[in-house]
Amino acid sequence: MKPLLLITSLLLSLAQPVAAQNEKITYPIVISFQSQCCGVPSDTVVRNFIAAFKKKYKVKRITAYHIGPMGREGEYYLAFKLNELSKKKAGYFVTKIKKIRPLKSDRGTLSVKEQFEIDPDLISGRAGTKAVVF
């Protein structure tokens, strides 16, 4: 009886992380890089914004999650949990990042979405998630 109980508890403990991966995740801010025909815009404006924000507010790092590709032309999301920031700094970050725009020479668009929910079950099978530390 004891080996059966041990095996059952082991299988249940292994099954729990798999189930948790399929839960929807709500991010405070998500930047969507979209194509209109010829590729997505550069992330240069986002990187420059984050570098300036870190310097001004004395933040050591900001982590985002690169989720994609979402389409044929490289569309992707940069999703921010903002766990490294205080509530006040996170509010500043959200307010200020909503004002960024792609370079005029860039093709495609970027849109900033607040409290954006991502359902892993609805993401393309070829898409992946990778942490990006700024």
Side-chain angles (χ1 to χ4, degrees), residues 12 84 94 116:
L12 287 174
E84 306 97 336
V94 169
F116 190 69

Side-chain angles (χ1 to χ4, degrees), residues 31-67:
I31 302 172
S32 176
F33 290 80
Q34 304 151 339
S35 172
Q36 293 179 329
C37 82
C38 309
V40 296
S42 168
D43 67 351
T44 301
V45 292
V46 175
R47 288 183 179 279
N48 290 345
F49 165 78
I50 292 172
F53 184 90
K54 285 173 43 183
K55 184 175 182 179
K56 181 176 182 176
Y57 293 100
K58 297 179 175 79
V59 175
K60 291 185 180 183
R61 66 184 224 159
I62 296 176
T63 304
Y65 297 89
H66 180 282
I67 304 169

Side-chain angles (χ1 to χ4, degrees), residues 50-122:
I50 292 172
F53 184 90
K54 285 173 43 183
K55 184 175 182 179
K56 181 176 182 176
Y57 293 100
K58 297 179 175 79
V59 175
K60 291 185 180 183
R61 66 184 224 159
I62 296 176
T63 304
Y65 297 89
H66 180 282
I67 304 169
M70 302 303 292
R72 285 189 252 161
E73 295 185 31
E75 295 88 345
Y76 67 96
Y77 297 132
L78 262 184
F80 296 85
K81 288 187 178 179
L82 303 178
N83 293 339
E84 306 97 336
L85 304 178
S86 68
K87 191 173 184 177
K88 187 175 182 179
K89 286 180 183 175
Y92 292 152
F93 186 87
V94 169
T95 300
K96 294 173 185 285
I97 205 164
K98 289 191 307 186
K99 296 176 183 176
I100 65 169
R101 300 290 174 254
L103 300 171
K104 291 186 184 213
S105 60
D106 279 344
R107 297 188 180 194
T109 60
L110 24 117
S111 60
V112 180
K113 302 167 184 178
E114 289 185 78
Q115 297 303 317
F116 190 69
E117 185 176 84
I118 296 178
D119 185 347
D121 291 335
L122 300 178

